[in-house]
Structure formats: structure tokens, C-alpha cells
Amino acid sequence: MRAFFILWKRELTTYFYSPIAYVMMIFFLIIMGFSFWLLANVLAQGAPGVSVMRELFDSLFFWMTTLTLAPVLTMRLFAEEKRSGTIETLMTAPVSDPAVVLAKYFGALSFYGLIWAPTLVYVVILRMFSPLAAPPDPGPIVCGYLGALLIGAFYLAIGLFCSALTRNQIVAAIVAFALVCVAFFSGFLSFMVREEAARNVAQYVSSLAHMRDFARGVVDTRPVVFHLTGTALMLFATVKVIEARKWK
Amino acid sequence: MSEPMIEVRHLTKRYAGCTAVADVSFTVAPGEVVGFLGPNGAGKTTTLRMLACYLPASEGEARVAGFDVFRHSLEVRRRIGYLPESTPLYPELRVDEYLNYRAQLKGVPGRRRRQRVSEVKELCGLADVGRRIIGQLSKGYRQRVGLADALVHDPELVILDEPTIGLDPNQIRHVRDLIKSLAPRHTVLLSTHILAEVELTCQRVLIIDRGRIVASDTPDKLRARLQGGREVVVEIHAPPPEAAQRLAALPGVARVAADAAGAWTQFRLECSGSEDIRPLVFEAAVQHGWHLRELRQEKQSLEDIFAALTRGEQETP
């Protein structure tokens, strides 16, 4: 536990040493800011029946940023340690393999949370200046953030796993991007296949459908469990990959 | 005798298609400084990595301070300070930040940490560069940061893989003095392919070649052990067959090799005993009226011993 906190703190602070983190933060805020500006425009025209949170959490912009953010935030985690050889000093320190994996994971998740934090300003602005008769419900807002966190948690775990597989950050990022795209687009299968069972499965694993529910303020336990188990599975696989050097 | 600090029994490491370390056994007593000597690719790094719990053994077992490196890996890792060959560091951190982080990670309690970090900085000559960013330091300084990291938690056993590689002569001397000063408080196992290093710093040498230990002794004894096979070179003006016969008849001469060059012949006498046969050779020359141009004993350096033990060595990656 002690080692976990030390490693977690180091992982989180390491983000601020690298320019990638700042670039990603700016990229994220520009896109989310644009998304918010569009939303504000729609509201200003007094369009009726706008689901405010869906504009923020279920938009093209949300998915564009989330799908790129996860691979970029995680690509460095193990790949860089392997490339520079610091994995050797790290793994010969008295720390367990799961502690290292979890510390790296929660470091990335914390940074992901930090990137999202400034968007809370939008919520404040909306509540203060909303032209709608009633200000947006807190329910969908909380659910929207919960959904972003859950999906981010799953995608970051996928990214961490990919980073553990290689010593090349670029390869890690590309493989992670491919995998999160698979996770994301598998939801679209429900529009394409005719098979009833396959459509149902696709519906269950569709991040898109999950996020739509969350943005409406619906918390279904199935997507929650799906993302948490997915995350746990990827973290478990990562621990096994790190341990794998001991099987050779 | 107290419990050995390192106990290695029949340690074997196989990679796909090649055996890096084959059936290696040795022990190291507490407080010893032991040099692990071998040509490149002999299995030094692999053995050290297994001791540092980074790689598992394919066969055999290794214990550090009584703990098995595989089953009680965390206990072992708490007791060792390991400096890998390439001195991996985080280039974005400052020296102080890095040493503090590593001390924390290795469980140095908060109140002692500040003191330990400044102690090892003093010890490794880093007192002036604490605020510098590691990535901007020279190779020599980075090596010292790695060394300071290995020592920061005051480990019982210090494992150093090629600690002086890439340093200039002054820095090498400094590091060697530092290593010598670690004994007997710490046990040190260091690997190197530089013979002089072992002669200067180590109490005992393990020579490893192609994954096998081929010799284990003090540098002096190793030399003495091979002194029996030393050679005397004598160059005389005499007919080779007759002179060779007479020289071979001298007590203590095992074998004679002649190399004629004009009227002069150079004989190499291989000695079996420990006595110096040069006076006998001289007397024989006087007795038979040979002109003597050269008479010397070839002293074997550790280099020769090394070469003899690892002869026929082929470069392996």
C-alpha cells in the first residue's frame, strides 16, 4: 500500500514533466470548448427539447477526444520504462507487480480526471445562465460525468495493457487506439447485423449506447458492471504481462 | 561460520536456443567484495539479474541472506542495492528528487530519508549537483547517481553490473575507492570485464566463461596457482638439438620448445616446479660454452590467466 502511493504520486507528477500532457489538455479543452459553444448556440436559439447533457457527453466531440486521449495518456507508462531500462530498477525495488500496475493505472486515471475537471465550469455557466425555463437537472450531469469516468477507466486500462506489451510508445498508442476503436465501434454492429443474438450482444457492449443512457441520466447497472469488469480484466492481463518475463 | 550472504546452487538460465548460465554454484560471505569477471556475453549480467530478482532461474536456486530470490523476492529486494549495467535513470527528475523517490520506494522511513540522501550524495560526490536535472548530467555523474541509488537504503548486499563502464580514469579511481570503502559493512558483488579492476578492488574473483564458473579464488592465489606453468625464455648461440636435450634434462623443466633464428635459437622452457630455474640455465650455458643473449622469466599476469581460462572463447551476443 505504501509503495502504491509513492508510485502513484510519481506517475501523476510525471505527466506534468512531459509536453504531451499539456498538448493533450489543450487539445481536449479546445474541442470540449467548441462543443460547449455549439451547445450554447443551440440554447440561445431557444430550440426546444434539447437534452443538454447529450450535447456534451454524447457528441462526436466527446468520442473524438476520449478515443484519442486514452492511448496517448497511457502509451508511455510501461513502454518508456522498458525502452530506457528503468523497468529493471523499478522491478528490483521492493514493490510487488500489482502495486506497480495499479499505481500506473490510477496515475493515468487521476490525470484523466484532472483533464475533465475544467469542464465543470460549463455546468456552472449553464446553471447560471440557462435560458431554459428550468436549469438542467443535476441528475444527468452527475450521470454524464460518471459515464465519462467509467468509459475512460476502461479505455485507459486497455491503453495500459498495450503499453506493457511493447517498448515502443508509438506502437503502444496505435495498438491501444485500434483496440478502443474496436470497443467503440462494436456497438455499431447492432445496426449492421441481422442476427438477433449478435445484435443483442452488440447492444450490450456498445459504449455509444451506454453513454447515451448516462447522458439521459439513466444509470443501468449493466454498463457499469461491463466497464468495471472490463477494466479489471485489462488490469489483470497487464499484471500477467509484467510477470511474464518470469516465465521465459 | 556465519550464514553466507549469497548462496548460489546449480543456477541455470536458458533462453530460447541458448544457455546463458550453466550450472553455476558459488557462495559469498558477508562483508566480502567479490568480482565477477568474464568476457562479454559470458553470463555475468544474467547471473546478477537473477540474484536481483529481475529474472527467474530456469534451474537451481539462489539465496540472498537466507531468502530464496524467487519465493521471497520482496525480502531479498529489500536487502539489495542493484545497479544495472546501463544505469537507467529518469532523465526528467532532479538528482535530489530521484534519490528521494528511490529512498521512499525502498522503504527508508521519513525521518531518516533526508539524512540518508545527503549521506549517499556526499559518498558518491554528488553534493554539488543535487539541483541538477539528471538528463543534463555527464555520463560519469549519472553513473554516480545510479550508485547512490543502489546505496540509499543502506542495503546488506550491493550488486553492481559494470560500475565503472564509460567513466574517465579519475572517476574510475573514485568509484573503485568507493567500492572498497563499502566493505566490510556491505557485501559487494560486482561484474566487470576489466581485469585491473578486479585486482584493485576485489578480495575474491569468480571467473565466468560461456555460462560456467571456471575459477574462483583471490587474485593472488589465482596467479600463484598458475605460476607453476610459467615459462623461462632463453636465447643462446648453440646447435638446437643438442642444447634442447641438455636444457630438457635440467631439473624442473617440463618441456622445451625451440625457435631457431639464424645462429641463435630461442628456447621456451616450461617449468613444472615452483623454483626459479634461471641460475641452472645460466650454469648450463657456462658449462657448455654457449653464448647467452637473453634469459628471462615470463610472469603471468591476471590477463594471461584470464586468457588461459577462457581460451577459445567466441564472441557471443
Side-chain angles (χ1 to χ4, degrees):
Chain A
M1 236 7 214
R2 182 192 54 80
F4 169 80
F5 282 113
I6 296 162
L7 288 165
W8 171 77
K9 193 178 137 212
R10 150 132 187 95
E11 289 304 328
L12 188 55
T13 51
T14 302
Y15 277 108
F16 295 95
Y17 287 111
S18 109
I20 292 177
Y22 294 102
V23 172
M24 284 315 287
M25 244 176 176
I26 291 165
F27 163 78
F28 178 81
L29 287 178
I30 286 175
I31 292 189
M32 289 314 273
F34 183 64
S35 171
F36 180 67
W37 176 76
L38 282 182
L39 170 66
N41 253 358
V42 172
L43 289 176
Q45 286 161 13
V50 175
S51 167
V52 173
M53 281 301 119
R54 276 196 56 181
E55 293 297 324
L56 272 186
F57 286 108
D58 187 26
S59 62
L60 170 70
F61 306 104
F62 169 80
W63 288 109
M64 205 163 93
T65 49
T66 309
L67 288 178
T68 43
L69 215 51
V72 175
L73 291 186
T74 51
M75 64 182 188
R76 177 186 52 82
L77 295 175
F78 278 107
E80 178 62 15
E81 302 247 20
K82 284 184 171 185
R83 192 198 55 78
S84 71
T86 46
I87 188 91
E88 202 168 336
T89 41
L90 177 63
M91 301 319 282
T92 53
V95 290
S96 66
D97 294 359
V100 172
V101 170
L102 288 178
K104 283 186 179 295
Y105 176 70
F106 282 104
L109 191 62
S110 310
F111 188 75
Y112 177 76
L114 280 181
I115 282 187
W116 267 100
T119 63
L120 290 170
V121 173
Y122 303 159
V123 177
V124 175
I125 293 173
L126 274 180
R127 286 187 70 85
M128 283 170 72
F129 301 109
S130 171
L132 299 177
D137 271 351
I141 296 174
V142 172
C143 287
Y145 278 99
L146 178 72
L149 185 68
L150 275 173
I151 287 173
F154 181 41
Y155 288 3
L156 288 170
I158 292 175
L160 180 70
F161 172 72
C162 295
S163 184
L165 292 176
T166 170
R167 56 172 56 218
N168 185 324
Q169 290 193 44
I170 308 298
V171 171
I174 292 171
V175 175
F177 184 68
L179 287 184
V180 294
C181 282
V182 167
F184 174 67
F185 285 109
S186 62
F188 286 90
L189 281 177
S190 62
F191 304 120
M192 290 184 252
V193 290
R194 288 169 180 280
E195 189 76 36
E196 181 68 25
R199 281 174 63 166
N200 278 338
V201 171
Q203 198 68 53
Y204 278 127
V205 299
S206 165
S207 300
L208 198 64
H210 298 157
M211 204 56 218
R212 194 157 291 160
D213 281 350
F214 283 125
R216 283 212 317 259
V218 177
V219 179
D220 190 344
T221 46
R222 285 173 302 181
V224 174
V225 170
F226 173 74
H227 285 104
L228 289 182
T229 47
T231 304
L233 178 73
M234 292 322 287
L235 292 180
F236 177 76
T238 310
V239 172
K240 289 296 150 193
V241 169
I242 295 305
E243 278 175 358
R245 71 175 197 280
K246 297 185 174 168
W247 304 338
K248 281 181 208 155
Chain B
M1 192 190 143
S2 61
E3 195 177 18
M5 180 54 70
I6 305 178
E7 194 179 4
V8 172
R9 274 200 227 126
H10 308 295
L11 200 64
T12 299
K13 177 71 190 176
R14 274 185 293 269
Y15 292 110
C18 82
T19 304
V21 175
D23 196 22
V24 162
S25 302
F26 63 92
T27 56
V28 175
E32 257 189 315
V33 178
V34 175
F36 214 40
L37 185 65
N40 295 330
K44 300 184 298 270
T45 297
T46 306
T47 309
L48 297 187
R49 278 181 169 173
M50 287 192 278
L51 282 172
C53 313
Y54 183 65
L55 285 177
S58 306
E59 263 168 52
E61 61 167 357
R63 290 172 169 279
V64 171
F67 293 101
D68 187 284
V69 294
F70 192 66
R71 266 166 295 178
H72 304 287
S73 165
L74 286 178
E75 290 296 328
V76 171
R77 286 189 257 167
R78 249 172 232 136
R79 285 167 173 78
I80 58 169
Y82 172 50
L83 173 66
E85 192 174 3
S86 55
T87 324
L89 301 166
Y90 297 114
E92 74 276 10
L93 293 184
R94 293 177 198 281
V95 172
D96 283 343
E97 287 169 341
Y98 179 70
L99 291 177
N100 248 312
Y101 159 69
R102 293 291 295 174
Q104 257 186 321
L105 196 59
K106 292 171 174 189
V108 180
R111 56 195 178 286
R112 280 204 59 215
R113 201 178 314 132
R114 183 190 286 266
Q115 189 201 341
R116 268 312 290 172
V117 168
S118 65
E119 269 173 29
V120 291
K121 264 166 52 188
E122 194 65 44
L123 199 63
C124 300
L126 292 166
D128 305 332
V129 297
R131 299 286 303 152
R132 296 273 296 276
I133 290 170
I134 290 174
Q136 293 169 357
L137 291 177
S138 68
K139 172 82 181 129
Y141 271 108
R142 263 183 272 167
Q143 191 73 18
R144 292 191 221 176
V145 174
L147 208 53
D149 164 36
L151 297 172
V152 75
H153 56 309
D154 203 8
E156 291 170 48
L157 171 64
V158 183
I159 297 178
L160 308 170
D161 199 354
E162 307 265 8
T164 58
I165 205 163
L167 300 184
D168 72 34
N170 280 327
Q171 294 167 334
I172 290 178
R173 195 176 319 139
H174 179 88
V175 169
R176 283 178 188 159
D177 290 342
L178 176 63
I179 291 169
K180 270 192 276 189
S181 74
L182 294 177
R185 236 168 84 75
H186 306 267
T187 311
V188 181
L189 178 63
L190 66 93
S191 85
T192 176
H193 61 268
I194 304 161
L195 296 143
E197 189 146 302
V198 174
E199 292 201 82
L200 288 170
T201 52
C202 302
Q203 295 152 7
R204 198 149 66 83
V205 192
L206 298 167
I207 298 183
I208 184 168
D209 180 39
R210 276 169 287 176
R212 290 171 195 284
I213 296 222
V214 289
S216 158
D217 223 325
T218 64
D220 287 342
K221 276 194 187 154
L222 265 184
R223 199 180 290 116
R225 208 171 90 189
L226 282 129
Q227 289 276 287
R230 82 211 134 132
E231 278 185 333
V232 168
V233 175
V234 56
E235 209 170 322
I236 47 184
H237 193 275
E242 187 213 327
Q245 227 169 29
R246 292 194 189 277
L247 285 173
L250 291 175
V253 175
R255 204 140 43 88
V256 178
D259 182 15
W264 294 88
T265 308
Q266 189 188 59
F267 295 95
R268 301 183 84 86
L269 313 180
E270 222 171 271
C271 311
S272 52
S274 57
E275 233 157 276
D276 192 349
I277 63 155
R278 279 173 296 180
L280 297 175
V281 174
F282 175 70
E283 273 166 29
V286 172
Q287 195 187 335
H288 302 289
W290 302 329
H291 291 242
L292 185 67
R293 192 161 74 168
E294 187 184 13
L295 178 59
R296 68 187 154 90
Q297 176 167 289
E298 294 222 314
K299 200 174 169 191
Q300 271 200 310
S301 68
L302 211 49
E303 317 256 344
D304 299 317
I305 299 170
F306 182 68
L309 287 169
T310 62
R311 192 169 291 154
E313 191 263 328
Q314 279 157 357
E315 196 71 12
T316 46

